[in-house]
Amino acid sequence: MSTMFLRSLLLPLICVFALATRSHGLSPGQQRPSSLDAASNTLQYHGGPLLTKPNGINVYLIWYGGFSLKDRNSITDFFASFTSPGRRQEPSVSTWWRTISTYKDKTGKPVSDTVRLVKQVGDVYSSGKTLKRAQLANLVKSKIESKIFPLDPNGIYLVLTAKHVTVERSCMASCGFHDSILVGGSTRVVFAHVGDPTVQCPGLCAWPYALPAYGPPGPALVAPNGIGTDGMIINIATLLAGATTNPFKTGYFQGDALAPLEAVTACPGIFGTGAYPGYPGALLVDKMSKASYNAYSANGRKFLLPATWDLIRLNCKVIT
């Protein structure tokens, strides 16, 4: 079974009416309540390994199906933003990751503070356009066993599927997932999947850049890189955070290990200060394009990144 976070995306939409009558009483510096159980009010650490190698987390990317050059460049620029040299315009992608790098394992080692895309390959529908999750796992395994990708226990093998590819439970039970597989009989590695939601479920997996599938209607925000691409980047960021802090279902999470709340999914629908169900919060707006965002990236790009659970302040932290 695998990590699912569709329910965390639905919560800010389907619960609008129920929560609107409650007084939030939030000052500008506060965030709305998380989805965590009030009894513990934090993500619990379950004692297992995290991705902590000091030389960073390597991402191995499979483009499954057809993607435009524009979409590819946007996503690779997102990964480049973790390690882009020189002075950065703030807030940046690497600033956002700092909260994740405060998560530590039982020996006190923190999650790696660097994420980098080290290799990418294309796959033109080798398994068709309707996929089971097990097929994605086998696709990753085959790339490792054929030496296309190295065997990297501190890496993340990420499969991105094009907009016309249907993946089991996507858009119905998840906007993506991460899991692990055993390779070579003794090494367990982490893999993840995110699909392009443009055609199948933009209102679920590209909100707030698409009209919500549930809840009251409202204007969609302008996406800086395209609705599907920016939806994917939000979901990639969500899975990176979850896969590094809970790679084998024994790290940081709350609830059922098979459908847990993790570092980002504990903070559903929060992107800026003052967020509440159905409203992503105060964001930066590009004067020319009117696109909304909260982080600067490599090559002048702008992205929207979700809030992360802050283990120190015990709240949902937005990038500032």
Side-chain angles (χ1 to χ4, degrees), residues 22 33-44 254-255 261 266 309 314:
R22 296 171 60 181
S34 73
S35 292
L36 296 178
D37 181 356
S40 60
N41 198 35
T42 191
L43 292 181
Q44 300 168 352
Q254 187 178 112
L261 292 174
W309 181 254
L314 300 181

PDB file of all heavy atoms in Angstrom, residues 22 33-44 254-255 261 266 309 314:
ATOM      1  N   ARG A  22     -16.914  28.594  12.379  1.00  0.00           N
ATOM      2  CA  ARG A  22     -16.029  28.603  13.525  1.00  0.00           C
ATOM      3  C   ARG A  22     -15.175  29.857  13.502  1.00  0.00           C
ATOM      4  O   ARG A  22     -14.761  30.339  12.468  1.00  0.00           O
ATOM      5  CB  ARG A  22     -15.136  27.362  13.515  1.00  0.00           C
ATOM      6  CG  ARG A  22     -15.913  26.075  13.652  1.00  0.00           C
ATOM      7  CD  ARG A  22     -15.050  24.860  13.413  1.00  0.00           C
ATOM      8  NE  ARG A  22     -13.948  24.804  14.369  1.00  0.00           N
ATOM      9  CZ  ARG A  22     -13.046  23.836  14.350  1.00  0.00           C
ATOM     10  NH1 ARG A  22     -13.100  22.890  13.450  1.00  0.00           N
ATOM     11  NH2 ARG A  22     -12.072  23.830  15.247  1.00  0.00           N
ATOM     12  N   PRO A  33      -5.782  25.948  11.772  1.00  0.00           N
ATOM     13  CA  PRO A  33      -5.442  24.669  12.378  1.00  0.00           C
ATOM     14  C   PRO A  33      -5.100  23.615  11.333  1.00  0.00           C
ATOM     15  O   PRO A  33      -5.642  23.601  10.244  1.00  0.00           O
ATOM     16  CB  PRO A  33      -6.720  24.298  13.136  1.00  0.00           C
ATOM     17  CG  PRO A  33      -7.392  25.605  13.387  1.00  0.00           C
ATOM     18  CD  PRO A  33      -7.082  26.461  12.201  1.00  0.00           C
ATOM     19  N   SER A  34      -4.202  22.704  11.713  1.00  0.00           N
ATOM     20  CA  SER A  34      -3.837  21.607  10.828  1.00  0.00           C
ATOM     21  C   SER A  34      -4.889  20.517  10.931  1.00  0.00           C
ATOM     22  O   SER A  34      -5.868  20.618  11.662  1.00  0.00           O
ATOM     23  CB  SER A  34      -2.479  21.043  11.229  1.00  0.00           C
ATOM     24  OG  SER A  34      -2.611  20.302  12.424  1.00  0.00           O
ATOM     25  N   SER A  35      -4.652  19.413  10.190  1.00  0.00           N
ATOM     26  CA  SER A  35      -5.550  18.264  10.253  1.00  0.00           C
ATOM     27  C   SER A  35      -5.108  17.245  11.291  1.00  0.00           C
ATOM     28  O   SER A  35      -5.643  16.150  11.346  1.00  0.00           O
ATOM     29  CB  SER A  35      -5.605  17.585   8.873  1.00  0.00           C
ATOM     30  OG  SER A  35      -6.247  18.415   7.946  1.00  0.00           O
ATOM     31  N   LEU A  36      -4.138  17.589  12.115  1.00  0.00           N
ATOM     32  CA  LEU A  36      -3.632  16.639  13.087  1.00  0.00           C
ATOM     33  C   LEU A  36      -4.618  16.429  14.230  1.00  0.00           C
ATOM     34  O   LEU A  36      -5.391  17.317  14.588  1.00  0.00           O
ATOM     35  CB  LEU A  36      -2.297  17.130  13.664  1.00  0.00           C
ATOM     36  CG  LEU A  36      -1.150  17.241  12.664  1.00  0.00           C
ATOM     37  CD1 LEU A  36       0.082  17.782  13.361  1.00  0.00           C
ATOM     38  CD2 LEU A  36      -0.849  15.897  12.041  1.00  0.00           C
ATOM     39  N   ASP A  37      -4.564  15.248  14.790  1.00  0.00           N
ATOM     40  CA  ASP A  37      -5.374  14.910  15.951  1.00  0.00           C
ATOM     41  C   ASP A  37      -5.006  15.828  17.105  1.00  0.00           C
ATOM     42  O   ASP A  37      -3.841  15.938  17.488  1.00  0.00           O
ATOM     43  CB  ASP A  37      -5.094  13.451  16.331  1.00  0.00           C
ATOM     44  CG  ASP A  37      -5.912  12.976  17.514  1.00  0.00           C
ATOM     45  OD1 ASP A  37      -6.653  13.789  18.104  1.00  0.00           O
ATOM     46  OD2 ASP A  37      -5.792  11.792  17.849  1.00  0.00           O
ATOM     47  N   ALA A  38      -5.990  16.512  17.632  1.00  0.00           N
ATOM     48  CA  ALA A  38      -5.721  17.484  18.696  1.00  0.00           C
ATOM     49  C   ALA A  38      -5.099  16.833  19.931  1.00  0.00           C
ATOM     50  O   ALA A  38      -4.431  17.488  20.728  1.00  0.00           O
ATOM     51  CB  ALA A  38      -7.021  18.192  19.090  1.00  0.00           C
ATOM     52  N   ALA A  39      -5.289  15.538  20.094  1.00  0.00           N
ATOM     53  CA  ALA A  39      -4.756  14.863  21.284  1.00  0.00           C
ATOM     54  C   ALA A  39      -3.228  14.859  21.301  1.00  0.00           C
ATOM     55  O   ALA A  39      -2.613  14.976  22.363  1.00  0.00           O
ATOM     56  CB  ALA A  39      -5.271  13.421  21.340  1.00  0.00           C
ATOM     57  N   SER A  40      -2.616  14.728  20.130  1.00  0.00           N
ATOM     58  CA  SER A  40      -1.150  14.718  20.089  1.00  0.00           C
ATOM     59  C   SER A  40      -0.591  16.008  19.501  1.00  0.00           C
ATOM     60  O   SER A  40       0.494  16.448  19.861  1.00  0.00           O
ATOM     61  CB  SER A  40      -0.658  13.521  19.277  1.00  0.00           C
ATOM     62  OG  SER A  40      -1.145  13.604  17.958  1.00  0.00           O
ATOM     63  N   ASN A  41      -1.332  16.616  18.568  1.00  0.00           N
ATOM     64  CA  ASN A  41      -1.006  17.924  18.020  1.00  0.00           C
ATOM     65  C   ASN A  41       0.382  17.988  17.395  1.00  0.00           C
ATOM     66  O   ASN A  41       1.010  19.038  17.375  1.00  0.00           O
ATOM     67  CB  ASN A  41      -1.142  19.016  19.103  1.00  0.00           C
ATOM     68  CG  ASN A  41      -1.235  20.401  18.472  1.00  0.00           C
ATOM     69  OD1 ASN A  41      -1.824  20.558  17.402  1.00  0.00           O
ATOM     70  ND2 ASN A  41      -0.649  21.388  19.110  1.00  0.00           N
ATOM     71  N   THR A  42       0.883  16.880  16.903  1.00  0.00           N
ATOM     72  CA  THR A  42       2.137  16.914  16.150  1.00  0.00           C
ATOM     73  C   THR A  42       2.264  15.628  15.347  1.00  0.00           C
ATOM     74  O   THR A  42       1.500  14.677  15.543  1.00  0.00           O
ATOM     75  CB  THR A  42       3.353  17.068  17.075  1.00  0.00           C
ATOM     76  OG1 THR A  42       4.517  17.362  16.280  1.00  0.00           O
ATOM     77  CG2 THR A  42       3.601  15.802  17.884  1.00  0.00           C
ATOM     78  N   LEU A  43       3.208  15.606  14.428  1.00  0.00           N
ATOM     79  CA  LEU A  43       3.534  14.373  13.742  1.00  0.00           C
ATOM     80  C   LEU A  43       4.395  13.520  14.659  1.00  0.00           C
ATOM     81  O   LEU A  43       5.388  13.991  15.200  1.00  0.00           O
ATOM     82  CB  LEU A  43       4.298  14.664  12.447  1.00  0.00           C
ATOM     83  CG  LEU A  43       3.540  15.356  11.324  1.00  0.00           C
ATOM     84  CD1 LEU A  43       4.461  15.527  10.119  1.00  0.00           C
ATOM     85  CD2 LEU A  43       2.296  14.584  10.926  1.00  0.00           C
ATOM     86  N   GLN A  44       4.033  12.293  14.831  1.00  0.00           N
ATOM     87  CA  GLN A  44       4.774  11.395  15.711  1.00  0.00           C
ATOM     88  C   GLN A  44       5.888  10.706  14.936  1.00  0.00           C
ATOM     89  O   GLN A  44       5.703  10.310  13.784  1.00  0.00           O
ATOM     90  CB  GLN A  44       3.825  10.356  16.309  1.00  0.00           C
ATOM     91  CG  GLN A  44       2.709  10.958  17.137  1.00  0.00           C
ATOM     92  CD  GLN A  44       1.623   9.958  17.481  1.00  0.00           C
ATOM     93  OE1 GLN A  44       1.620   8.830  16.978  1.00  0.00           O
ATOM     94  NE2 GLN A  44       0.684  10.363  18.334  1.00  0.00           N
ATOM     95  N   GLN A 254       1.131  10.761  11.277  1.00  0.00           N
ATOM     96  CA  GLN A 254       0.067  10.534  12.242  1.00  0.00           C
ATOM     97  C   GLN A 254      -1.045   9.767  11.566  1.00  0.00           C
ATOM     98  O   GLN A 254      -1.314   9.972  10.372  1.00  0.00           O
ATOM     99  CB  GLN A 254      -0.476  11.848  12.806  1.00  0.00           C
ATOM    100  CG  GLN A 254      -1.480  11.617  13.942  1.00  0.00           C
ATOM    101  CD  GLN A 254      -2.001  12.916  14.538  1.00  0.00           C
ATOM    102  OE1 GLN A 254      -3.152  13.241  14.380  1.00  0.00           O
ATOM    103  NE2 GLN A 254      -1.151  13.649  15.219  1.00  0.00           N
ATOM    104  N   GLY A 255      -1.679   8.866  12.317  1.00  0.00           N
ATOM    105  CA  GLY A 255      -2.794   8.105  11.775  1.00  0.00           C
ATOM    106  C   GLY A 255      -2.358   6.756  11.246  1.00  0.00           C
ATOM    107  O   GLY A 255      -1.331   6.197  11.635  1.00  0.00           O
ATOM    108  N   LEU A 261      -1.102  11.057   7.632  1.00  0.00           N
ATOM    109  CA  LEU A 261      -0.834  12.487   7.492  1.00  0.00           C
ATOM    110  C   LEU A 261       0.667  12.673   7.662  1.00  0.00           C
ATOM    111  O   LEU A 261       1.251  12.207   8.640  1.00  0.00           O
ATOM    112  CB  LEU A 261      -1.589  13.288   8.550  1.00  0.00           C
ATOM    113  CG  LEU A 261      -3.111  13.316   8.420  1.00  0.00           C
ATOM    114  CD1 LEU A 261      -3.729  14.019   9.625  1.00  0.00           C
ATOM    115  CD2 LEU A 261      -3.538  13.989   7.127  1.00  0.00           C
ATOM    116  N   ALA A 266      -0.408  17.071   6.469  1.00  0.00           N
ATOM    117  CA  ALA A 266      -0.965  17.513   7.752  1.00  0.00           C
ATOM    118  C   ALA A 266      -1.459  18.953   7.673  1.00  0.00           C
ATOM    119  O   ALA A 266      -2.140  19.415   8.591  1.00  0.00           O
ATOM    120  CB  ALA A 266       0.088  17.388   8.850  1.00  0.00           C
ATOM    121  N   TRP A 309       4.627  21.028   8.042  1.00  0.00           N
ATOM    122  CA  TRP A 309       4.466  20.956   9.490  1.00  0.00           C
ATOM    123  C   TRP A 309       5.797  21.270  10.165  1.00  0.00           C
ATOM    124  O   TRP A 309       6.808  20.637   9.915  1.00  0.00           O
ATOM    125  CB  TRP A 309       3.951  19.597   9.923  1.00  0.00           C
ATOM    126  CG  TRP A 309       3.757  19.516  11.408  1.00  0.00           C
ATOM    127  CD1 TRP A 309       4.523  18.851  12.310  1.00  0.00           C
ATOM    128  CD2 TRP A 309       2.735  20.173  12.172  1.00  0.00           C
ATOM    129  NE1 TRP A 309       4.041  19.039  13.588  1.00  0.00           N
ATOM    130  CE2 TRP A 309       2.945  19.851  13.534  1.00  0.00           C
ATOM    131  CE3 TRP A 309       1.658  21.001  11.832  1.00  0.00           C
ATOM    132  CZ2 TRP A 309       2.114  20.320  14.553  1.00  0.00           C
ATOM    133  CZ3 TRP A 309       0.833  21.466  12.857  1.00  0.00           C
ATOM    134  CH2 TRP A 309       1.066  21.123  14.183  1.00  0.00           C
ATOM    135  N   LEU A 314       5.251  23.628  16.167  1.00  0.00           N
ATOM    136  CA  LEU A 314       4.026  22.836  16.187  1.00  0.00           C
ATOM    137  C   LEU A 314       2.887  23.538  15.465  1.00  0.00           C
ATOM    138  O   LEU A 314       1.769  23.670  15.981  1.00  0.00           O
ATOM    139  CB  LEU A 314       3.618  22.492  17.636  1.00  0.00           C
ATOM    140  CG  LEU A 314       4.641  21.692  18.433  1.00  0.00           C
ATOM    141  CD1 LEU A 314       4.106  21.391  19.825  1.00  0.00           C
ATOM    142  CD2 LEU A 314       5.016  20.400  17.720  1.00  0.00           C
TER     143      LEU A 314
END
